[in-house]
Short mmCIF file of all heavy atoms in Angstrom, two decimals:
data_model
loop_
_atom_site.label_atom_id
_atom_site.label_comp_id
_atom_site.label_asym_id
_atom_site.label_seq_id
_atom_site.Cartn_x
_atom_site.Cartn_y
_atom_site.Cartn_z
N VAL A 676 -13.51 24.23 9.82
CA VAL A 676 -12.55 25.33 10.10
C VAL A 676 -11.52 25.41 9.03
O VAL A 676 -10.99 24.32 8.55
CB VAL A 676 -11.89 25.04 11.49
CG1 VAL A 676 -10.84 26.11 11.78
CG2 VAL A 676 -12.90 24.95 12.60
N VAL A 677 -11.25 26.58 8.53
CA VAL A 677 -10.20 26.78 7.58
C VAL A 677 -9.16 27.68 8.22
O VAL A 677 -9.43 28.73 8.80
CB VAL A 677 -10.71 27.52 6.30
CG1 VAL A 677 -9.59 27.76 5.33
CG2 VAL A 677 -11.75 26.64 5.63
N LEU A 678 -7.88 27.20 8.19
CA LEU A 678 -6.77 27.95 8.76
C LEU A 678 -5.93 28.51 7.63
O LEU A 678 -5.84 27.98 6.50
CB LEU A 678 -5.89 27.02 9.61
CG LEU A 678 -6.63 26.28 10.78
CD1 LEU A 678 -5.63 25.33 11.42
CD2 LEU A 678 -7.19 27.30 11.74
N GLY A 679 -5.17 29.59 7.93
CA GLY A 679 -4.28 30.14 6.97
C GLY A 679 -3.14 29.17 6.65
O GLY A 679 -2.65 29.20 5.49
N ALA A 680 -2.72 28.38 7.57
CA ALA A 680 -1.70 27.33 7.35
C ALA A 680 -2.01 26.17 8.31
O ALA A 680 -2.52 26.41 9.39
CB ALA A 680 -0.28 27.85 7.62
N THR A 681 -1.70 24.96 7.86
CA THR A 681 -2.07 23.82 8.69
C THR A 681 -1.05 22.72 8.48
O THR A 681 -0.41 22.62 7.43
CB THR A 681 -3.47 23.26 8.30
OG1 THR A 681 -3.82 22.17 9.14
CG2 THR A 681 -3.52 22.82 6.86
N ALA A 682 -0.92 21.85 9.52
CA ALA A 682 -0.07 20.63 9.42
C ALA A 682 -0.93 19.44 9.07
O ALA A 682 -0.40 18.31 8.87
CB ALA A 682 0.58 20.37 10.77
N PHE A 683 -2.27 19.62 8.99
CA PHE A 683 -3.16 18.47 8.68
C PHE A 683 -3.17 18.11 7.26
O PHE A 683 -3.34 19.02 6.35
CB PHE A 683 -4.59 18.88 9.05
CG PHE A 683 -4.87 18.76 10.55
CD1 PHE A 683 -4.40 19.82 11.39
CD2 PHE A 683 -5.53 17.68 11.14
CE1 PHE A 683 -4.62 19.76 12.78
CE2 PHE A 683 -5.79 17.70 12.50
CZ PHE A 683 -5.31 18.65 13.33
N TYR A 684 -2.98 16.81 6.96
CA TYR A 684 -3.03 16.34 5.55
C TYR A 684 -4.44 16.13 5.16
O TYR A 684 -5.26 15.48 5.88
CB TYR A 684 -2.24 15.02 5.40
CG TYR A 684 -2.23 14.50 4.05
CD1 TYR A 684 -1.33 14.94 3.11
CD2 TYR A 684 -3.16 13.49 3.62
CE1 TYR A 684 -1.28 14.46 1.78
CE2 TYR A 684 -3.14 13.00 2.32
CZ TYR A 684 -2.22 13.48 1.41
OH TYR A 684 -2.20 13.00 0.10
N ALA A 685 -4.85 16.77 4.06
CA ALA A 685 -6.17 16.64 3.52
C ALA A 685 -6.29 15.37 2.63
O ALA A 685 -5.42 15.17 1.78
CB ALA A 685 -6.60 17.90 2.73
N GLU A 686 -7.35 14.61 2.76
CA GLU A 686 -7.46 13.36 2.04
C GLU A 686 -7.23 13.48 0.55
O GLU A 686 -7.84 14.33 -0.07
CB GLU A 686 -8.91 12.78 2.26
CG GLU A 686 -9.12 11.46 1.58
CD GLU A 686 -10.50 10.84 1.88
OE1 GLU A 686 -11.06 11.11 2.95
OE2 GLU A 686 -11.01 10.09 1.03
N ALA A 687 -6.32 12.66 0.04
CA ALA A 687 -5.94 12.70 -1.38
C ALA A 687 -5.11 11.52 -1.65
O ALA A 687 -4.40 11.02 -0.76
CB ALA A 687 -5.22 14.01 -1.73
N GLY A 688 -5.13 11.04 -2.91
CA GLY A 688 -4.26 9.96 -3.32
C GLY A 688 -4.52 8.68 -2.58
O GLY A 688 -3.62 7.85 -2.48
N GLY A 689 -5.75 8.49 -2.02
CA GLY A 689 -6.01 7.31 -1.27
C GLY A 689 -5.75 7.41 0.22
O GLY A 689 -6.25 6.67 1.04
N GLN A 690 -4.90 8.44 0.62
CA GLN A 690 -4.57 8.57 2.03
C GLN A 690 -5.67 9.36 2.71
O GLN A 690 -6.10 10.46 2.28
CB GLN A 690 -3.21 9.31 2.20
CG GLN A 690 -2.84 9.51 3.68
CD GLN A 690 -1.46 10.11 3.83
OE1 GLN A 690 -0.61 9.94 2.98
NE2 GLN A 690 -1.27 10.86 4.91
N VAL A 691 -6.20 8.83 3.83
CA VAL A 691 -7.29 9.48 4.55
C VAL A 691 -6.80 10.78 5.20
O VAL A 691 -5.59 10.96 5.41
CB VAL A 691 -7.86 8.52 5.64
CG1 VAL A 691 -8.43 7.26 5.03
CG2 VAL A 691 -6.85 8.18 6.69
N GLY A 692 -7.76 11.67 5.43
CA GLY A 692 -7.33 12.98 6.09
C GLY A 692 -6.89 12.77 7.53
O GLY A 692 -7.35 11.86 8.23
N ASP A 693 -6.06 13.68 7.97
CA ASP A 693 -5.56 13.61 9.34
C ASP A 693 -6.67 13.96 10.36
O ASP A 693 -7.65 14.67 10.07
CB ASP A 693 -4.43 14.65 9.52
CG ASP A 693 -3.10 14.09 9.03
OD1 ASP A 693 -2.95 12.83 9.00
OD2 ASP A 693 -2.20 14.87 8.67
N ARG A 694 -6.42 13.46 11.56
CA ARG A 694 -7.22 13.84 12.75
C ARG A 694 -6.32 14.54 13.78
O ARG A 694 -5.07 14.47 13.68
CB ARG A 694 -7.87 12.63 13.40
CG ARG A 694 -8.86 11.91 12.50
CD ARG A 694 -9.49 10.74 13.23
NE ARG A 694 -10.50 10.05 12.40
CZ ARG A 694 -11.19 8.96 12.78
NH1 ARG A 694 -10.91 8.42 13.97
NH2 ARG A 694 -12.05 8.44 11.95
N GLY A 695 -6.95 15.17 14.76
CA GLY A 695 -6.17 15.86 15.76
C GLY A 695 -7.05 16.96 16.42
O GLY A 695 -8.23 16.76 16.63
N GLU A 696 -6.41 18.11 16.69
CA GLU A 696 -7.17 19.22 17.29
C GLU A 696 -6.57 20.55 16.89
O GLU A 696 -5.41 20.67 16.54
CB GLU A 696 -7.15 19.02 18.88
CG GLU A 696 -5.76 19.04 19.43
CD GLU A 696 -5.80 18.83 20.96
OE1 GLU A 696 -6.87 18.50 21.50
OE2 GLU A 696 -4.72 18.97 21.60
N ILE A 697 -7.46 21.55 17.00
CA ILE A 697 -7.12 22.95 16.75
C ILE A 697 -7.34 23.69 18.02
O ILE A 697 -8.40 23.70 18.55
CB ILE A 697 -7.89 23.59 15.58
CG1 ILE A 697 -7.56 22.80 14.27
CG2 ILE A 697 -7.58 25.05 15.43
CD1 ILE A 697 -8.48 23.22 13.09
N ILE A 698 -6.27 24.36 18.53
CA ILE A 698 -6.32 25.03 19.81
C ILE A 698 -6.25 26.55 19.58
O ILE A 698 -5.39 27.03 18.81
CB ILE A 698 -5.17 24.64 20.76
CG1 ILE A 698 -5.07 23.13 20.86
CG2 ILE A 698 -5.32 25.31 22.08
CD1 ILE A 698 -6.29 22.43 21.56
N THR A 699 -7.20 27.29 20.18
CA THR A 699 -7.18 28.74 20.18
C THR A 699 -7.15 29.25 21.61
O THR A 699 -7.30 28.45 22.53
CB THR A 699 -8.36 29.35 19.37
OG1 THR A 699 -9.56 29.16 20.16
CG2 THR A 699 -8.47 28.70 18.03
N GLY A 700 -7.04 30.58 21.76
CA GLY A 700 -7.03 31.09 23.09
C GLY A 700 -8.35 30.91 23.83
O GLY A 700 -8.42 30.96 25.03
N SER A 701 -9.46 30.69 23.07
CA SER A 701 -10.78 30.60 23.71
C SER A 701 -11.43 29.24 23.59
O SER A 701 -12.50 29.02 24.07
CB SER A 701 -11.76 31.59 23.04
OG SER A 701 -11.85 31.38 21.66
N GLY A 702 -10.81 28.25 22.84
CA GLY A 702 -11.45 26.99 22.68
C GLY A 702 -10.57 25.90 22.05
O GLY A 702 -9.47 26.16 21.68
N ARG A 703 -11.21 24.73 21.99
CA ARG A 703 -10.50 23.59 21.39
C ARG A 703 -11.47 22.88 20.41
O ARG A 703 -12.66 22.62 20.74
CB ARG A 703 -10.04 22.65 22.43
CG ARG A 703 -9.24 21.46 21.92
CD ARG A 703 -8.45 20.79 23.03
NE ARG A 703 -9.31 20.20 24.06
CZ ARG A 703 -9.81 18.97 24.09
NH1 ARG A 703 -9.53 18.15 23.07
NH2 ARG A 703 -10.63 18.52 25.03
#
Side-chain angles (χ1 to χ4, degrees):
V676 179
V677 178
L678 304 176
T681 182
F683 283 77
Y684 181 81
E686 180 175 333
Q690 181 175 331
V691 300
D693 277 336
R694 294 182 179 180
E696 59 184 9
I697 296 172
I698 308 294
T699 70
S701 61
R703 184 163 62 92

